Amino acid sequence: MLPVDVLRDIYGYDEFRGQQLAIITAACEGRDSLVLMPTGGGKSICYQIPALLCPGLGIVVSPLIALMHDQVDALRQLGIAAAFLNSSQSAAEQQFVMDEIEAGKLDLLYVAPERILQEQTLDFLSGQTCSIIAIDEAHCVSAWGHDFRQDYLALDQLRIRFPDTPRMALTATADERTRTDIVQCLALEKPLRFVAGFDRPNIRYSVQPKGDSKTQLLEFLLPRRGDAGIVYCLSRKSVDATAVWLTKRGFAALPYHAGLPSRTRTTHQERFLREDGIIIVATIAFGMGIDKPDVRFVAHLDLPKSVEAYYQETGRAGRDGESAEAWMVYGLQDVVRLTQMMNQSQAEEQQKRIEQDKLNALLGWCEVTRCRRAALLAYFGEDYPGDCGNCDVCLTPPVTWDGTESAQKLLSCVYRTGQRFGAGHVIDVLRGASTDKIKRLRHDRLSTFAIGADHSAVWWRSVARQLIVQGFLYVDHERYGGLRLTDRSRGLLRGDMTLLLREDIDKPKLRKKDPAKTGIAASDVALWDALRARRKQLADEQGVPPYLVFHDATLMEMVRLRPSSSEELLSVSGVGQTKLERYGELFIDLIGTYPVATSPGETGS
Ligand code: ADP
Ligand code: ZN
């Protein structure tokens, strides 16, 4: 059998994506490899197909025990003989798996690093014929990466214990330094490197200045009712409050953070995976183990810590390739709070500086005036030619204005008030407010008092935020968050340069969009709903998430093509032999009861 036959018969896909075939071929020829591919790029197939084609057991080392169950369920849905070994199983269950391996009945085995490294597991597995060893989330081997795991360091032993088995290291995030670490620490032998671009074209990026963030979130969510998504908040308190608030407005929103009992967390995560249209409101504690393909949006109510973190968190959206949204609001307060948290941490000075630089890079990205996707990819060292047409900057180019004079006013006011006060007081002085503090400090006698009365406080906060982000103002946390001038600001005050600022867009344009239903005629909606209901019913019967039965994209194609025979159903992307046998008839019958729409002019609402 050829790789492409496996792809078609088992997975139900027509062609390989990107470098998948080259990666599979290299493994089948016995070569080690390093595979870098963004989330949703299709890494799993790269080691699964060699495991199916080559004799012996394919071993997948993965740190995500919570995920193994679903991964194995997904493979079994495809008719692939897969199992996992981990501490959640009873001794009898583990023995059963080992017996199956000895009998040569298994194609794929998922196992955690600490488990495979146990002497008896190593002894047992190295006594078997093995087709491939895949090391997933390989960046965990690097202390430089963001998710270091001690156990990964010892995985170099696999080279000695399995000298003839090709090894494949896979990850979705790795800069040059992490890549080198992976190859060295895992002792890969002359690995072939496969590096796919990091672009996620189906994700639309947008960032807005934070106003009343809950209302902004609601405006974002209203046209997306029924979509599954994740809302990230910084604190447990705001997670709880936001979840309650959304629930009151009729959304199925569930909180998730480390402060909740583990039972509650598990239930909420399970519901998110298994039910349609659940919103998880979470701290960053949520996500690492989430492999749900149909997450339609990731919303950030607070800033993440770095561009890497942002990329990883938003990467959980749209793994199925359908359009998805990465939406974020951020404000001055976020910057101040995050910087404060970093300064209070126990980390070394050096580490703090790195963290601050990473935050600054993210802030700079928030304020970009060119294509946001191009800027994001540039951060990862990748060129993106032209504009993407699928980010807020491309869709609604920000208006810029010459902010030199306003910046000078604000900087002067910081200087005149003694570089000791936060933005709130400085802006009060600029606007000529009559607060007790101003009277007490006699700041109403300063030359900069009321020189900015022609603008609102919100407007000035935007200027202040942009000056901080661009390095013209420094927030001094040793001194209660007081603003101070920097070397850069002197040049601006002298009038040596002009400064372009972004006009904050108060009312972002809303586009009504329901990705799941885009392009579906009103008369097809009934069929769409019926297909989803049947899928849910079949999934519930087996205790698996609906997307393991069929992806949204597969159902959508059924609505479009209306297959009425097994052959026609097989031509639908995502339908392979096993799923055809299991579900074919049920779906064909169901489709038969919904006649094709007669008026093609009709469109969905
Ligand atoms: P990753 O592990 O890189 O995040 P996955 O392996 O989970 O990505 O693949 C993401 C989705 O893309 C899965 O639903 C998978 O079935 C699908 N996929 C992978 N390869 C192909 C292909 N060649 N054609 C169509 N769909 C594919
Ligand atoms: Zn763009």
PDB file of all heavy atoms in Angstrom, residues 371-372 388-389 391 394, ligand 2:
ATOM      1  N   CYS A 371      -0.158  45.133   8.338  1.00  0.00           N
ATOM      2  CA  CYS A 371      -0.864  43.849   8.471  1.00  0.00           C
ATOM      3  C   CYS A 371      -0.427  43.101   9.736  1.00  0.00           C
ATOM      4  O   CYS A 371       0.743  42.835   9.960  1.00  0.00           O
ATOM      5  CB  CYS A 371      -0.602  42.985   7.240  1.00  0.00           C
ATOM      6  SG  CYS A 371      -1.230  41.299   7.418  1.00  0.00           S
ATOM      7  N   ARG A 372      -1.377  42.781  10.567  1.00  0.00           N
ATOM      8  CA  ARG A 372      -1.089  42.155  11.851  1.00  0.00           C
ATOM      9  C   ARG A 372      -0.500  40.748  11.672  1.00  0.00           C
ATOM     10  O   ARG A 372       0.345  40.320  12.446  1.00  0.00           O
ATOM     11  CB  ARG A 372      -2.392  42.069  12.651  1.00  0.00           C
ATOM     12  CG  ARG A 372      -2.196  42.077  14.128  1.00  0.00           C
ATOM     13  CD  ARG A 372      -3.515  42.118  14.844  1.00  0.00           C
ATOM     14  NE  ARG A 372      -4.076  43.443  15.035  1.00  0.00           N
ATOM     15  CZ  ARG A 372      -3.556  44.371  15.827  1.00  0.00           C
ATOM     16  NH1 ARG A 372      -2.461  44.127  16.495  1.00  0.00           N
ATOM     17  NH2 ARG A 372      -4.127  45.543  15.955  1.00  0.00           N
ATOM     18  N   CYS A 388      -2.612  40.395   4.380  1.00  0.00           N
ATOM     19  CA  CYS A 388      -3.364  39.136   4.423  1.00  0.00           C
ATOM     20  C   CYS A 388      -4.841  39.315   4.089  1.00  0.00           C
ATOM     21  O   CYS A 388      -5.502  38.381   3.669  1.00  0.00           O
ATOM     22  CB  CYS A 388      -3.213  38.480   5.790  1.00  0.00           C
ATOM     23  SG  CYS A 388      -4.189  39.239   7.101  1.00  0.00           S
ATOM     24  N   GLY A 389      -5.377  40.507   4.310  1.00  0.00           N
ATOM     25  CA  GLY A 389      -6.807  40.697   4.051  1.00  0.00           C
ATOM     26  C   GLY A 389      -7.700  40.004   5.068  1.00  0.00           C
ATOM     27  O   GLY A 389      -8.906  39.951   4.905  1.00  0.00           O
ATOM     28  N   CYS A 391      -7.156  40.354   8.740  1.00  0.00           N
ATOM     29  CA  CYS A 391      -6.879  40.808  10.103  1.00  0.00           C
ATOM     30  C   CYS A 391      -7.503  42.192  10.233  1.00  0.00           C
ATOM     31  O   CYS A 391      -7.898  42.787   9.231  1.00  0.00           O
ATOM     32  CB  CYS A 391      -5.375  40.864  10.385  1.00  0.00           C
ATOM     33  SG  CYS A 391      -4.507  42.201   9.556  1.00  0.00           S
ATOM     34  N   CYS A 394      -5.824  44.998   8.133  1.00  0.00           N
ATOM     35  CA  CYS A 394      -6.108  44.933   6.694  1.00  0.00           C
ATOM     36  C   CYS A 394      -7.565  45.311   6.412  1.00  0.00           C
ATOM     37  O   CYS A 394      -7.851  45.991   5.434  1.00  0.00           O
ATOM     38  CB  CYS A 394      -5.847  43.529   6.165  1.00  0.00           C
ATOM     39  SG  CYS A 394      -4.106  43.144   5.991  1.00  0.00           S
TER      40      CYS A 394
HETATM   41 ZN    ZN B   2      -3.557  41.458   7.558  1.00  0.00          ZN
END
